[in-house]
Amino acid sequence: MKVTVVGAGAVGATCADNIARKELASELVLLDIKEGVAEGKAIDMMQTAALLGFDTKIKGVTNDYAATEHSDVVVITSGLPRKPGMTREELIGVNAGIVKSVTENILKYSPDTILIVVSNPMDTMNYLTLQTSGLPKNRVLGMGGALDSARFRYYLSQELGCSPADLNAVVVGGHGDTTMIPLIRHATWNSTPVTNFLTKEQQDKIVAATMVGGATLTKLIGTSAWYAPGAGTAAMVESILRDEKKLISCGVALEGEYGQQDISLVVPVILGRNGWERIIDFKLSDEEQAAFNKSADAVRNMNDVLKTL
Ligand SMILES: NC(=O)c1ccc[n+]([C@@H]2O[C@H](COP(=O)([O-])OP(=O)(O)OC[C@H]3O[C@@H](n4cnc5c(N)ncnc54)[C@H](O)[C@@H]3O)[C@@H](O)[C@H]2O)c1
């Protein structure tokens, strides 16, 4: 199996590191536009192979798309990250140009690949990729739900004083501070609803913390986070390449599911060798569906900005 990660910055390099440590691919290409960065990071990671005992061959290249030929999965992380006080939406103009040109270059060498879009604002970047790639909809996915759901499980575990691994919790909607919807009513602690153990006040606190989880870290670090985003993306790559059929929230094209169409939003899907294979209907309550529709309106407004670029 071969994976390419475009953008050897914080998220791209962390994602590549996770993929190599887990030996999800035999070949891994790291590509960046900045001379030498991908090469250097690839060599640095290869120098951990003797210590960590993995066999994945990592190659770094500067804008050499021929090296990405026949990639089974391509992760796109190229683009600007947000700075403190910035929203993901403010990145749209610059990142749209980068994501579009990267997609076109990738498809020249891997026309049947599966694309995972990480660059922000993810919902709009994934919509753009769906429109410009011409790939079947199942082969274009946005990463955001894997991360936001992991953050949701973290905040739940902090309040419950338990292991995040014992929790199941899903975020749907948009991948934005005001558009994501942590579905607390559906969250469980080893099969028991977490709402059995938390007051309404605690539940509201967890949901609010999850929604601004990215902004909280951007404020602390000075740029956007990378460990959980890298791990969330690698988890998607793992379920695809190992055909695990894991249920992971991903940005996908909706055609009537969850009452929406002509849009990419985060919903729970089954991930396997063909990309996303099935959308799971979580049967939202009227209140949850209203929040989902509101997110869709906000994301659609953002998608409209693409027409002005
Ligand atoms: N979807 C999510 O959940 C999520 C989470 C975290 C970050 N992000 C987004 O991911 C993106 C990357 O974040 P980061 O922290 O790694 O940023 P970063 O600045 O560390 O890395 C971005 C890299 O992209 C490279 N790049 C820029 N234009 C390129 C091009 N045309 N071709 C190839 N490489 C190019 C840059 O040289 C840089 O190395 C940002 O847009 C950020 O907002 C998304």
Side-chain angles (χ1 to χ4, degrees):
M1 294 290 178
K2 178 168 174 176
V3 175
T4 289
V5 178
V6 181
V11 177
T14 308
C15 173
D17 187 37
N18 277 275
I19 290 169
R21 283 172 190 246
K22 289 190 160 186
E23 292 187 317
L24 301 182
S26 49
E27 263 185 276
L28 179 55
V29 175
L30 197 53
L31 182 148
D32 203 283
I33 201 167
K34 264 190 235 147
E35 192 77 42
V37 170
E39 287 85 340
K41 291 199 182 179
I43 294 169
D44 191 11
M45 273 180 237
M46 279 306 292
Q47 290 171 355
T48 69
L51 301 163
L52 301 172
F54 64 76
D55 268 332
T56 298
K57 305 284 176 288
I58 313 166
K59 182 180 178 182
V61 296
T62 303
N63 243 13
D64 174 12
Y65 281 86
T68 70
E69 192 173 27
H70 302 312
S71 292
D72 296 285
V73 175
V74 176
V75 175
I76 303 178
T77 74
S78 45
L80 296 186
R82 56 182 175 158
K83 296 289 169 211
M86 263 179 116
T87 63
R88 294 174 177 95
E89 291 75 10
E90 286 174 74
L91 301 168
I92 192 165
V94 183
N95 286 356
I98 294 174
V99 169
K100 189 164 182 282
S101 77
V102 166
T103 303
E104 287 162 356
N105 283 321
I106 283 293
L107 291 175
K108 280 183 207 155
Y109 294 95
S110 305
D112 303 318
T113 194
I114 293 172
L115 290 175
I116 300 179
V117 178
V118 181
S119 312
N120 272 321
M122 183 280 285
D123 306 298
T124 297
M125 292 304 111
N126 199 44
Y127 180 73
L128 173 71
T129 307
L130 276 156
Q131 289 196 320
T132 55
S133 69
L135 283 170
K137 62 179 182 177
N138 300 66
R139 304 183 84 79
V140 182
L141 296 136
M143 198 295 290
L147 168 66
D148 298 332
S149 301
R151 285 182 174 153
F152 189 20
R153 287 163 70 185
Y154 164 76
Y155 285 114
L156 280 165
S157 74
Q158 293 293 102
E159 202 65 29
L160 289 164
C162 74
S163 163
D166 279 349
L167 295 165
N168 269 307
V170 160
V171 174
V172 298
H175 172 62
D177 297 354
T178 55
T179 57
M180 74 177 74
I181 307 160
L183 291 176
I184 198 144
R185 186 175 68 89
H186 302 253
T188 60
W189 180 6
N190 276 346
S191 310
T192 307
V194 296
T195 48
N196 286 2
F197 308 100
L198 299 165
T199 63
K200 179 75 175 72
E201 198 182 37
Q202 285 175 304
Q203 292 175 37
D204 291 347
K205 184 175 136 193
I206 292 163
V207 166
T210 303
M211 291 176 78
V212 296
T216 302
L217 295 180
T218 302
K219 202 168 155 203
L220 288 169
I221 304 171
T223 185
S224 71
W226 55 89
Y227 292 112
T233 313
M236 288 170 65
V237 173
E238 182 170 12
S239 190
I240 292 168
L241 292 182
R242 295 195 169 148
D243 200 24
E244 289 177 334
K245 317 280 190 205
K246 286 242 171 85
L247 190 152
I248 299 178
S249 278
C250 298
V252 299
L254 297 182
E255 292 179 352
E257 300 91 348
Y258 285 82
Q260 294 295 332
Q261 53 198 359
D262 188 28
I263 195 162
S264 164
L265 283 170
V266 173
V267 292
V269 297
I270 298 297
L271 283 188
R273 197 55 200 90
N274 300 310
W276 67 266
E277 299 183 349
R278 202 151 49 97
I279 293 176
I280 303 302
D281 182 0
F282 261 35
K283 313 264 182 244
L284 301 185
S285 66
D286 289 348
E287 197 184 329
E288 290 159 353
Q289 184 64 52
F292 194 87
N293 294 345
K294 203 167 151 219
S295 294
D297 289 344
V299 169
R300 211 168 260 118
N301 282 341
M302 219 162 34
N303 293 351
D304 284 344
V305 176
L306 292 173
K307 294 180 196 151
T308 66
L309 300 175

